[in-house]
Amino acid sequence: MPSTSFDFNSASDPRTPQAVLWDMDGTLIDTEPYWIVAESELVAAHGGTWTEEQGLSLVGSALPNSARILQEAGVKLSAREIIDLLSAQVVAGIRKEIPWRPGARELLAACHEANIPQALVTMSERSIVNELLDQLPEGTFQASVTGEEVGHGKPHPEPYLTGLQLLQDEVGHELIAEKCIGFEDSVPGIASASAAGLHAVLVPNATDPGDGKWRRIESLDGVDVKEMTRWLVQVSA
C-alpha cells in the first residue's frame, strides 16, 4: 500500500470506515479447533478417519459443503443432521469458554464507542451466533448474517453484500463498499469480502490464504479506529 501523510483528529473524522463487517470463526473467536474436533469425532463414530489437514481444508466453508465432504468421508447422516451435530458441539464449547482472538474484543468495543456500524458475517448458523451475541454489550452489532440465511456461501460475495445491505437499512443511508472494512481469516472468507468490494483485511489463523487483493495483518492486537482510518486514507491517496 502507498504511504501518505496522515492527520487523524477524532473518531468522527469523515474518513473513518463507514462500517466494519466481521467474520466470526477464526477471526473474532478461535472456534476452528472446536469444529475440527467435532468433525473428527463424527467421522470416527461412523468408522472413518479424519485428519487435521482435512479439517483445515474446511475452514471458512459453507456448512452444506462441509457436510457433503464429511458424507464422502463415511458419515452416514443427512447434511442437516451433520450440521446440527457439529453446531451443537461448537455451541457447547462456546458456553464453556469464548476463545477470543487477540485484540478482537477490544476493536469491537472501539468501533462501538466510535459509532461505527458493525455486522457479523459468518457461515455458522444462528444457533451459534446467538451464543456470542448474548455475551456482548447490546448494540455491538447492528446486523448479522448466518450461513443458512444466504443462497450462496463464502467465497461468493453474497454474504458480505447481504451484511452491507442490512447495515444500510439500519443506518438509513448508502454505504460505499470500499469505505467499509471486512475482517477475515480464511481462503473462502477473504475471497468473499474482497469480491464484495470491501476493504478486505486478512488476519491469518488456522490457515494462511497468502497475499492477494487484500490487506494482510498478523494480528488485531493494537489495531484501533485511527489505524483503520489510515488504511482507507492510504488507498484513496
Side-chain angles (χ1 to χ4, degrees):
M1 299 292 179
S3 60
T4 184
S5 60
F6 175 74
D7 179 26
F8 179 84
N9 296 314
S10 71
S12 61
D13 190 304
R15 299 170 297 177
T16 58
Q18 291 184 353
V20 177
L21 292 85
W22 294 89
D23 170 56
M24 186 179 75
D25 297 292
T27 302
L28 271 180
I29 56 178
D30 195 10
T31 49
E32 301 301 356
Y34 293 164
W35 287 104
I36 293 173
V37 168
E39 293 156 4
S40 180
E41 291 180 355
L42 183 58
V43 173
H46 287 260
T49 58
W50 188 252
T51 67
E52 183 178 5
E53 183 179 0
Q54 287 173 298
L56 291 174
S57 72
L58 299 186
V59 170
S61 295
L63 287 175
N65 178 62
S66 297
R68 178 183 56 78
I69 293 174
L70 288 165
Q71 288 172 330
E72 293 172 355
V75 178
K76 300 175 181 63
L77 296 172
S78 69
R80 184 69 260 167
E81 289 172 320
I82 291 172
I83 292 170
D84 287 345
L85 285 169
L86 296 179
S87 297
Q89 193 156 333
V90 173
V91 165
I94 291 174
R95 286 177 177 171
K96 290 180 181 178
E97 178 187 4
I98 295 182
W100 289 99
R101 294 286 292 148
R105 198 168 193 174
E106 292 80 2
L107 188 52
L108 274 178
C111 290
H112 182 45
E113 184 177 351
N115 295 316
I116 297 174
Q118 300 186 90
L120 190 63
V121 181
T122 177
M123 290 296 90
S124 287
E125 294 198 342
R126 184 60 58 183
S127 61
I128 299 175
V129 169
N130 286 344
E131 291 295 325
L132 176 64
L133 297 182
D134 287 346
Q135 299 191 48
L136 288 173
E138 185 176 354
T140 298
F141 288 105
Q142 284 67 57
S144 58
V145 180
T146 62
E148 75 273 33
E149 295 169 354
V150 292
H152 301 89
K154 301 173 185 178
H156 196 280
E158 181 184 348
Y160 278 101
L161 292 175
T162 300
L164 198 61
Q165 184 61 57
L166 290 174
L167 282 179
Q168 285 186 163
D169 295 343
E170 188 68 25
V171 301
H173 60 79
E174 181 184 8
L175 296 173
I176 301 171
E178 58 264 29
K179 294 184 178 181
C180 300
I181 290 176
F183 285 111
E184 269 286 355
D185 73 304
S186 69
V187 174
I190 198 67
S192 175
S194 182
L198 301 176
H199 185 94
V201 180
L202 172 69
V203 192
N205 185 10
T207 61
D208 189 344
D211 296 326
K213 296 180 180 180
W214 46 76
R215 181 179 297 275
R216 177 193 175 101
I217 61 174
E218 295 308 313
S219 173
L220 291 168
D221 194 23
V223 175
D224 55 16
V225 173
K226 179 179 179 179
E227 179 70 12
M228 293 190 299
T229 303
R230 182 182 288 110
W231 295 342
L232 298 182
V233 170
Q234 288 174 345
V235 170
S236 63

